[in-house]
Amino acid sequence: MFSFSVPLGKVVRGLSRLRGGGSAFPGLVVEKIDPGFMQRTLASLPHGVAVVTGTNGKTTTTKMVVELLESQGLKVFTNRSGSNFTRGVAASLLGDVDWRGKLDADVAVLELDEAHAVHFVNKVSPRFSLLLNVLRDQLDRFGEIDKTARLLEHIALKTTDTVVLNREDPRVARIAQAIHSPDAVLHPAIRYFGLDESLRSTFPNDDDMRTATGTTSPGTSAAGDAPAAPAADVVLRRVGADDADFEFDGETVTTRMKLRGVYNIFNAAAALSLARAILGAGEVDTPKLVKALGEVAPAFGRGESLTVDGQPLELVLVKNPSGFRLGLKSFPAGGYATMIAINDNYADGRDMSWLWDVEFESLRGNGVEVLTGVRAYDMALRLQYDEVPFGAVETDITAALRTFIDGSRGKPKRIFCTYTAMLAIRRELAKITIVEVVS
């Protein structure tokens, strides 16, 4: 079986790319004909597998970890297509292995959807895992938020070496209790990434966003006293307009950041901590590591900046209340023409009621030029309640994008979009400007 599964999978991948098919389909094919392909291939890596998961920030954080490790001379395999299901990993492997199935890499750093990560770790035990956050997202898939936390806990308990946890997210931080439980089998080491006290209000966890004034968040006493926070491996101390301060090993370093968005800067602390865990006690070129962090560009659709008619056009992915709130905060509306594209396909989550948990007052001054996507009229109703003026409402994304570009010539542009809307917009933009091809 092994003798023909890889060549056949590569042929299917090539044909799928020629006809514009989904990036995960070849992985589904190879999983059917050779169920052990992924486990067998990844088992050969000297530094093992690192899994990056959580509600927000997986794609950009994975990109940061990859570039940090590459700055230290490691060869890194990753699922660059952003297809973060198990079959997406298998499809990415088909693109990187040779015809005999050999993968030339030192370590795999994989972005995985929270639910599909559970299936992955049941097949391949990761040596490292990074658990970013737990926020309300796609509740039609995950149900209540504590179920998502249990998914991340399962991933942690399957990790063999080190788990990196978000100190500021109570549901993620509590996973340490399960790791330390006498019933746990593996007991991996735990590292945390965290925030300076002055920044915590900028990054509310899900409980903070839903706690009414005068009440207390879960895990906090009536007097407002929270348990003492554990020491963090990497702490984000300051966020500037185009730089940031990180503290680790008792030192504070400052680096310029190409990434935009305060949420990306916090995830940079997470990426640093995971990279340091993977590199271990060996010699690390810290100045080169920090320099590499400052040079990471946004992942596709995550604050990605394209050029249209000589002006920047930014794509900002939004998929839950926290992400949209931080997106609006990180990318002020002043001077920009704005479009919002909301789909409710499976990959977006079908339940769009979360739009009512986002405050859109910051868009009042400039308004929104165009609303599009399957749920364009839902978005229009939501903006009406926040008294935000808007122009055209067009459910067809292609037509809406044309209207938006034609109507805002000479101005920088920004599009807030859900995942499948972002993919559709990038496909259309690729016809008129240079768009990075992700394969």
Side-chain angles (χ1 to χ4, degrees), residues 323-358:
F324 213 147
R325 286 184 181 193
L326 287 172
L328 291 169
K329 183 172 184 175
S330 299
F331 299 91
Y336 277 75
T338 301
M339 182 169 99
I340 301 178
I342 305 294
N343 276 352
D344 66 349
N345 297 318
Y346 175 77
D348 307 297
R350 307 308 302 272
D351 182 359
M352 288 291 123
S353 62
W354 61 264
L355 291 171
W356 293 88
D357 294 322
V358 183

Tab-separated table of all heavy atoms in Angstrom, residues 323-358:
chain	number	residue	atom	x	y	z
A	323	GLY	N	-12.934	38.551	18.482
A	323	GLY	CA	-12.134	38.876	17.310
A	323	GLY	C	-12.595	40.144	16.617
A	323	GLY	O	-11.772	40.970	16.195
A	324	PHE	N	-13.919	40.339	16.509
A	324	PHE	CA	-14.436	41.528	15.842
A	324	PHE	C	-14.154	42.771	16.687
A	324	PHE	O	-13.765	43.821	16.172
A	324	PHE	CB	-15.940	41.382	15.576
A	324	PHE	CG	-16.403	42.058	14.305
A	324	PHE	CD1	-17.440	41.517	13.562
A	324	PHE	CD2	-15.809	43.224	13.841
A	324	PHE	CE1	-17.879	42.118	12.387
A	324	PHE	CE2	-16.237	43.840	12.663
A	324	PHE	CZ	-17.270	43.285	11.945
A	325	ARG	N	-14.343	42.658	17.996
A	325	ARG	CA	-14.071	43.800	18.876
A	325	ARG	C	-12.606	44.242	18.781
A	325	ARG	O	-12.312	45.429	18.650
A	325	ARG	CB	-14.393	43.440	20.328
A	325	ARG	CG	-15.863	43.376	20.671
A	325	ARG	CD	-16.034	43.105	22.153
A	325	ARG	NE	-17.420	43.017	22.548
A	325	ARG	CZ	-17.824	43.033	23.811
A	325	ARG	NH1	-16.925	43.132	24.780
A	325	ARG	NH2	-19.102	42.945	24.108
A	326	LEU	N	-11.702	43.265	18.866
A	326	LEU	CA	-10.288	43.611	18.796
A	326	LEU	C	-9.898	44.090	17.410
A	326	LEU	O	-9.007	44.932	17.261
A	326	LEU	CB	-9.434	42.409	19.214
A	326	LEU	CG	-9.450	42.089	20.715
A	326	LEU	CD1	-8.731	40.775	20.997
A	326	LEU	CD2	-8.805	43.214	21.529
A	327	GLY	N	-10.564	43.567	16.376
A	327	GLY	CA	-10.305	44.049	15.020
A	327	GLY	C	-10.681	45.505	14.860
A	327	GLY	O	-9.937	46.309	14.286
A	328	LEU	N	-11.853	45.878	15.383
A	328	LEU	CA	-12.283	47.280	15.309
A	328	LEU	C	-11.355	48.184	16.117
A	328	LEU	O	-11.087	49.326	15.725
A	328	LEU	CB	-13.719	47.399	15.822
A	328	LEU	CG	-14.796	46.764	14.937
A	328	LEU	CD1	-16.135	46.712	15.682
A	328	LEU	CD2	-14.951	47.531	13.626
A	329	LYS	N	-10.855	47.661	17.232
A	329	LYS	CA	-9.950	48.454	18.070
A	329	LYS	C	-8.569	48.589	17.423
A	329	LYS	O	-7.924	49.635	17.511
A	329	LYS	CB	-9.815	47.805	19.446
A	329	LYS	CG	-8.946	48.584	20.426
A	329	LYS	CD	-9.018	47.980	21.813
A	329	LYS	CE	-8.233	48.818	22.813
A	329	LYS	NZ	-8.379	48.312	24.198
A	330	SER	N	-8.123	47.531	16.759
A	330	SER	CA	-6.779	47.523	16.190
A	330	SER	C	-6.690	48.278	14.876
A	330	SER	O	-5.622	48.751	14.497
A	330	SER	CB	-6.320	46.079	15.963
A	330	SER	OG	-6.277	45.356	17.168
A	331	PHE	N	-7.811	48.364	14.158
A	331	PHE	CA	-7.818	48.999	12.838
A	331	PHE	C	-8.855	50.125	12.834
A	331	PHE	O	-9.981	49.939	12.366
A	331	PHE	CB	-8.142	47.967	11.747
A	331	PHE	CG	-7.153	46.840	11.665
A	331	PHE	CD1	-7.343	45.668	12.389
A	331	PHE	CD2	-6.019	46.958	10.877
A	331	PHE	CE1	-6.426	44.638	12.316
A	331	PHE	CE2	-5.098	45.927	10.794
A	331	PHE	CZ	-5.304	44.764	11.522
A	332	PRO	N	-8.496	51.304	13.366
A	332	PRO	CA	-9.447	52.415	13.453
A	332	PRO	C	-9.996	52.799	12.079
A	332	PRO	O	-9.301	52.700	11.060
A	332	PRO	CB	-8.610	53.549	14.057
A	332	PRO	CG	-7.477	52.866	14.755
A	332	PRO	CD	-7.189	51.642	13.939
A	333	ALA	N	-11.242	53.265	12.072
A	333	ALA	CA	-11.952	53.525	10.812
A	333	ALA	C	-11.508	54.796	10.115
A	333	ALA	O	-11.700	54.942	8.907
A	333	ALA	CB	-13.461	53.579	11.080
A	334	GLY	N	-10.924	55.729	10.835
A	334	GLY	CA	-10.614	57.042	10.280
A	334	GLY	C	-9.787	56.975	9.009
A	334	GLY	O	-8.725	56.358	8.977
A	335	GLY	N	-10.275	57.618	7.936
A	335	GLY	CA	-9.543	57.700	6.684
A	335	GLY	C	-9.685	56.504	5.780
A	335	GLY	O	-9.139	56.491	4.674
A	336	TYR	N	-10.405	55.471	6.204
A	336	TYR	CA	-10.555	54.252	5.413
A	336	TYR	C	-11.986	54.078	4.926
A	336	TYR	O	-12.941	54.378	5.656
A	336	TYR	CB	-10.184	53.016	6.243
A	336	TYR	CG	-8.701	52.725	6.286
A	336	TYR	CD1	-7.841	53.487	7.054
A	336	TYR	CD2	-8.163	51.681	5.536
A	336	TYR	CE1	-6.479	53.230	7.093
A	336	TYR	CE2	-6.797	51.408	5.569
A	336	TYR	CZ	-5.966	52.186	6.342
A	336	TYR	OH	-4.619	51.927	6.371
A	337	ALA	N	-12.132	53.583	3.711
A	337	ALA	CA	-13.425	53.099	3.241
A	337	ALA	C	-13.593	51.674	3.761
A	337	ALA	O	-12.645	50.880	3.724
A	337	ALA	CB	-13.482	53.123	1.721
A	338	THR	N	-14.785	51.343	4.245
A	338	THR	CA	-14.992	50.065	4.931
A	338	THR	C	-16.064	49.225	4.254
A	338	THR	O	-17.108	49.733	3.840
A	338	THR	CB	-15.407	50.315	6.399
A	338	THR	OG1	-14.378	51.058	7.057
A	338	THR	CG2	-15.624	49.006	7.135
A	339	MET	N	-15.786	47.948	4.151
A	339	MET	CA	-16.773	46.961	3.722
A	339	MET	C	-16.817	45.852	4.755
A	339	MET	O	-15.792	45.525	5.364
A	339	MET	CB	-16.416	46.386	2.342
A	339	MET	CG	-17.428	45.383	1.800
A	339	MET	SD	-17.144	44.958	0.038
A	339	MET	CE	-16.281	43.392	0.211
A	340	ILE	N	-17.989	45.273	4.982
A	340	ILE	CA	-18.140	44.135	5.892
A	340	ILE	C	-18.780	43.002	5.112
A	340	ILE	O	-19.807	43.187	4.455
A	340	ILE	CB	-18.992	44.494	7.124
A	340	ILE	CG1	-18.357	45.650	7.910
A	340	ILE	CG2	-19.148	43.271	8.031
A	340	ILE	CD1	-19.167	46.103	9.107
A	341	ALA	N	-18.166	41.811	5.183
A	341	ALA	CA	-18.645	40.639	4.445
A	341	ALA	C	-18.890	39.501	5.432
A	341	ALA	O	-17.939	38.996	6.043
A	341	ALA	CB	-17.622	40.229	3.394
A	342	ILE	N	-20.145	39.102	5.596
A	342	ILE	CA	-20.515	38.093	6.582
A	342	ILE	C	-21.177	36.904	5.900
A	342	ILE	O	-22.265	37.022	5.328
A	342	ILE	CB	-21.486	38.676	7.640
A	342	ILE	CG1	-20.887	39.921	8.305
A	342	ILE	CG2	-21.833	37.615	8.686
A	342	ILE	CD1	-19.649	39.672	9.138
A	343	ASN	N	-20.527	35.751	5.963
A	343	ASN	CA	-21.110	34.488	5.507
A	343	ASN	C	-21.447	33.618	6.706
A	343	ASN	O	-20.909	33.809	7.814
A	343	ASN	CB	-20.134	33.735	4.601
A	343	ASN	CG	-20.196	34.194	3.159
A	343	ASN	OD1	-21.059	34.976	2.776
A	343	ASN	ND2	-19.270	33.709	2.344
A	344	ASP	N	-22.299	32.623	6.478
A	344	ASP	CA	-22.624	31.678	7.557
A	344	ASP	C	-22.473	30.240	7.070
A	344	ASP	O	-23.258	29.363	7.424
A	344	ASP	CB	-24.042	31.925	8.084
A	344	ASP	CG	-25.126	31.627	7.055
A	344	ASP	OD1	-24.780	31.422	5.873
A	344	ASP	OD2	-26.309	31.592	7.434
A	345	ASN	N	-21.443	30.005	6.264
A	345	ASN	CA	-21.151	28.644	5.825
A	345	ASN	C	-20.579	27.835	6.986
A	345	ASN	O	-20.250	28.380	8.047
A	345	ASN	CB	-20.176	28.669	4.649
A	345	ASN	CG	-20.778	29.371	3.439
A	345	ASN	OD1	-21.939	29.179	3.108
A	345	ASN	ND2	-19.993	30.223	2.797
A	346	TYR	N	-20.409	26.533	6.785
A	346	TYR	CA	-19.959	25.662	7.884
A	346	TYR	C	-18.666	26.154	8.512
A	346	TYR	O	-18.522	26.182	9.740
A	346	TYR	CB	-19.784	24.234	7.362
A	346	TYR	CG	-19.218	23.278	8.393
A	346	TYR	CD1	-20.019	22.768	9.412
A	346	TYR	CD2	-17.873	22.907	8.359
A	346	TYR	CE1	-19.511	21.907	10.373
A	346	TYR	CE2	-17.352	22.040	9.317
A	346	TYR	CZ	-18.177	21.545	10.308
A	346	TYR	OH	-17.658	20.699	11.261
A	347	ALA	N	-17.711	26.558	7.678
A	347	ALA	CA	-16.409	26.989	8.205
A	347	ALA	C	-16.485	28.322	8.952
A	347	ALA	O	-15.562	28.673	9.689
A	347	ALA	CB	-15.399	27.106	7.065
A	348	ASP	N	-17.588	29.062	8.763
A	348	ASP	CA	-17.763	30.321	9.486
A	348	ASP	C	-18.492	30.116	10.803
A	348	ASP	O	-18.357	30.915	11.725
A	348	ASP	CB	-18.602	31.310	8.651
A	348	ASP	CG	-18.057	31.528	7.261
A	348	ASP	OD1	-16.928	32.032	7.161
A	348	ASP	OD2	-18.751	31.196	6.284
A	349	GLY	N	-19.296	29.056	10.879
A	349	GLY	CA	-20.277	28.912	11.951
A	349	GLY	C	-21.618	29.394	11.428
A	349	GLY	O	-21.706	30.447	10.789
A	350	ARG	N	-22.671	28.644	11.667
A	350	ARG	CA	-23.977	28.987	11.120
A	350	ARG	C	-24.720	30.008	11.967
A	350	ARG	O	-25.602	30.698	11.480
A	350	ARG	CB	-24.843	27.719	10.980
A	350	ARG	CG	-24.197	26.576	10.202
A	350	ARG	CD	-23.673	27.005	8.832
A	350	ARG	NE	-24.718	27.571	7.992
A	350	ARG	CZ	-25.503	26.864	7.186
A	350	ARG	NH1	-25.371	25.558	7.125
A	350	ARG	NH2	-26.406	27.448	6.435
A	351	ASP	N	-24.403	30.085	13.242
A	351	ASP	CA	-25.111	30.977	14.162
A	351	ASP	C	-24.422	32.336	14.186
A	351	ASP	O	-23.320	32.487	14.694
A	351	ASP	CB	-25.118	30.356	15.562
A	351	ASP	CG	-25.874	31.207	16.572
A	351	ASP	OD1	-26.381	32.286	16.205
A	351	ASP	OD2	-25.941	30.789	17.746
A	352	MET	N	-25.078	33.350	13.606
A	352	MET	CA	-24.500	34.695	13.547
A	352	MET	C	-25.039	35.620	14.637
A	352	MET	O	-24.831	36.831	14.591
A	352	MET	CB	-24.788	35.323	12.173
A	352	MET	CG	-23.976	34.711	11.038
A	352	MET	SD	-22.213	35.120	11.178
A	352	MET	CE	-21.517	33.486	11.225
A	353	SER	N	-25.706	35.058	15.638
A	353	SER	CA	-26.248	35.904	16.705
A	353	SER	C	-25.145	36.636	17.469
A	353	SER	O	-25.403	37.651	18.120
A	353	SER	CB	-27.084	35.063	17.669
A	353	SER	OG	-26.293	34.074	18.308
A	354	TRP	N	-23.917	36.147	17.350
A	354	TRP	CA	-22.808	36.796	18.059
A	354	TRP	C	-22.565	38.223	17.582
A	354	TRP	O	-21.928	39.023	18.289
A	354	TRP	CB	-21.529	35.968	17.948
A	354	TRP	CG	-20.999	35.748	16.566
A	354	TRP	CD1	-21.213	34.669	15.773
A	354	TRP	CD2	-20.153	36.616	15.808
A	354	TRP	NE1	-20.553	34.795	14.577
A	354	TRP	CE2	-19.891	35.988	14.567
A	354	TRP	CE3	-19.578	37.867	16.056
A	354	TRP	CZ2	-19.097	36.570	13.588
A	354	TRP	CZ3	-18.785	38.441	15.076
A	354	TRP	CH2	-18.554	37.796	13.858
A	355	LEU	N	-23.061	38.580	16.410
A	355	LEU	CA	-22.890	39.960	15.929
A	355	LEU	C	-23.504	40.969	16.892
A	355	LEU	O	-23.067	42.123	16.959
A	355	LEU	CB	-23.522	40.118	14.542
A	355	LEU	CG	-22.819	39.391	13.386
A	355	LEU	CD1	-23.665	39.445	12.126
A	355	LEU	CD2	-21.437	39.983	13.124
A	356	TRP	N	-24.495	40.534	17.664
A	356	TRP	CA	-25.142	41.444	18.609
A	356	TRP	C	-24.308	41.657	19.861
A	356	TRP	O	-24.642	42.510	20.695
A	356	TRP	CB	-26.541	40.910	18.948
A	356	TRP	CG	-27.429	40.965	17.741
A	356	TRP	CD1	-27.580	40.009	16.771
A	356	TRP	CD2	-28.229	42.062	17.328
A	356	TRP	NE1	-28.418	40.442	15.793
A	356	TRP	CE2	-28.853	41.703	16.103
A	356	TRP	CE3	-28.501	43.326	17.864
A	356	TRP	CZ2	-29.711	42.542	15.414
A	356	TRP	CZ3	-29.365	44.165	17.186
A	356	TRP	CH2	-29.961	43.775	15.981
A	357	ASP	N	-23.221	40.910	20.010
A	357	ASP	CA	-22.315	41.108	21.151
A	357	ASP	C	-21.129	41.994	20.795
A	357	ASP	O	-20.211	42.163	21.599
A	357	ASP	CB	-21.800	39.756	21.658
A	357	ASP	CG	-22.906	38.908	22.257
A	357	ASP	OD1	-23.785	39.481	22.936
A	357	ASP	OD2	-22.898	37.683	22.044
A	358	VAL	N	-21.126	42.544	19.581
A	358	VAL	CA	-20.054	43.435	19.127
A	358	VAL	C	-20.596	44.860	19.112
A	358	VAL	O	-21.723	45.097	18.679
A	358	VAL	CB	-19.567	43.046	17.714
A	358	VAL	CG1	-18.402	43.937	17.284
A	358	VAL	CG2	-19.166	41.575	17.671
